[in-house]
Amino acid sequence: MKTEQKIYHTLRIASAMCLIGHGAFGIITKAVWCNYLAVIGIGQDTAYTLMPVIGSADILMGLSLLFYPVRAVFLWLVIWGLATASMRPLSGEPFAELLERAGNFGAPLAVLILYPPEKGFRAWFKKIQPPGSIPPESLKKLKFALQLTAFLLLAGHGWLNLTEKKGLLAQYESLGFNDVHTVAHAAGLFELMAAISILIHPLRPLIMLFLIWKIGTELFYPQWEIFEWIERGGSYGTLLALWFSSGYFSIKIAERNRKLTSLADN
């Protein structure tokens, strides 16, 4: 499989994971959703009625990305992912909760950068095929979008650690740490430094380290950990796609330099 195709499939599967994981919480009627739906004036009773409907729609769209991916669903996930993440600070939670979920809307946005809109309404519902190559301009935009998304999600999670989010402290306590506050501060500083390093100059070995860190740390939610882990597929997909694209970008630069050197010699 070519690198271009690896980037595409990584982002496609990551986007599907976001929808399927989020949909699962709708099916099990996660109580905190009542707070988010209240932001748009939906009462508790109606919220519990709507949750399975929303969850089922999310899961169906997630499955569609696995079997029949179209631009319209990726666009919907950009809008839906940003809207649902925004409901958290609007309901009184820290703004970092929105940033930490940047992968939910950043991963599908990266797919749309790979596949700019074609003319006509029908093009949005045409099945996307894996790319044969990525134009240089699209590659630059893609890499920057992935860098920015990775920066936001790592900085957001680091911020939540530094402000001692109760859910994160519960994770560290369940893992057997005694001084959970110190652990949270150390993890937060590490994630903030990781975010800055990716934004300034993403080195491939460090990107892989941060990917492993993210995959590992998301496994320890005290409740519904499998759904939480799946929902954050955009975070893993963003980092993995950035790892692929960074290597691809370096190869293309090297090829261009060789061509320029050859022309100069001739």
Side-chain angles (χ1 to χ4, degrees):
M1 188 183 296
K2 296 172 65 176
T3 302
E4 298 93 326
Q5 296 168 350
K6 292 177 182 177
I7 294 171
Y8 161 69
H9 287 302
T10 295
L11 293 170
R12 177 177 64 87
I13 294 170
S15 298
M17 289 173 68
C18 292
L19 284 165
I20 292 170
H22 191 263
F25 284 120
I27 297 293
I28 64 177
T29 60
K30 191 175 182 181
V32 73
W33 276 30
C34 292
N35 297 342
Y36 310 144
L37 293 172
V39 171
I40 54 176
I42 296 176
Q44 182 171 310
D45 292 340
T46 306
Y48 275 109
T49 302
L50 286 176
M51 283 184 210
V53 178
I54 296 171
S56 299
D58 280 348
I59 291 172
L60 288 174
M61 283 193 283
L63 292 174
S64 76
L65 293 183
L66 296 178
F67 299 106
Y68 196 89
V70 297
R71 289 180 180 82
V73 176
F74 287 108
L75 177 61
W76 166 252
L77 180 52
V78 173
I79 298 169
W80 180 242
L82 182 57
T84 53
S86 298
M87 285 182 178
R88 291 177 175 271
L90 290 174
S91 68
E93 295 183 9
F95 185 73
E97 293 283 0
L98 186 158
L99 301 181
E100 195 262 336
R101 287 164 176 79
N104 293 3
F105 47 88
L109 178 61
V111 175
L112 294 178
I113 292 173
L114 274 177
Y115 295 92
E118 298 177 0
K119 290 183 179 180
F121 180 74
R122 289 185 178 181
W124 287 97
F125 299 91
K126 180 181 177 182
K127 185 178 181 181
I128 294 176
Q129 300 297 334
S133 62
I134 303 175
E137 286 304 313
S138 294
L139 181 60
K140 289 180 181 178
K141 293 177 183 178
L142 172 69
K143 189 167 179 285
F144 177 73
L146 293 173
Q147 281 180 254
L148 183 59
T149 302
F151 167 78
L152 291 175
L153 66 91
L154 286 168
H157 200 265
W159 183 354
L160 292 172
N161 265 305
L162 291 175
T163 54
E164 301 181 1
K165 179 183 175 181
K166 291 182 180 179
L168 293 174
L169 296 182
Q171 284 185 40
Y172 304 140
E173 186 176 359
S174 69
L175 292 172
F177 290 104
N178 292 322
D179 190 352
V180 294
H181 300 280
T182 299
V183 173
H185 293 165
L189 288 172
F190 171 77
E191 288 171 332
L192 284 180
M193 289 188 292
I196 293 170
S197 71
I198 278 183
L199 188 63
I200 295 175
H201 186 61
L203 299 173
R204 293 193 84 209
L206 288 180
I207 296 171
M208 183 55 64
L209 172 64
F210 303 149
L211 172 61
I212 294 170
W213 167 268
K214 196 64 179 172
I215 290 175
T217 54
E218 296 293 354
L219 286 171
F220 302 111
Y221 278 84
Q223 291 183 325
W224 309 112
E225 61 274 4
I226 186 61
F227 298 141
E228 293 279 6
W229 191 87
I230 292 172
E231 186 188 11
R232 282 163 175 74
S235 299
Y236 326 135
T238 293
L239 289 166
L240 183 56
L242 180 59
W243 185 80
F244 283 133
S245 64
S246 295
Y248 183 81
F249 196 68
S250 299
I251 291 171
K252 291 300 179 183
I253 290 176
E255 289 177 352
R256 184 190 65 182
N257 290 340
R258 281 197 297 270
K259 289 179 181 178
L260 291 174
T261 302
S262 178
L263 289 172
D265 292 341
N266 293 333

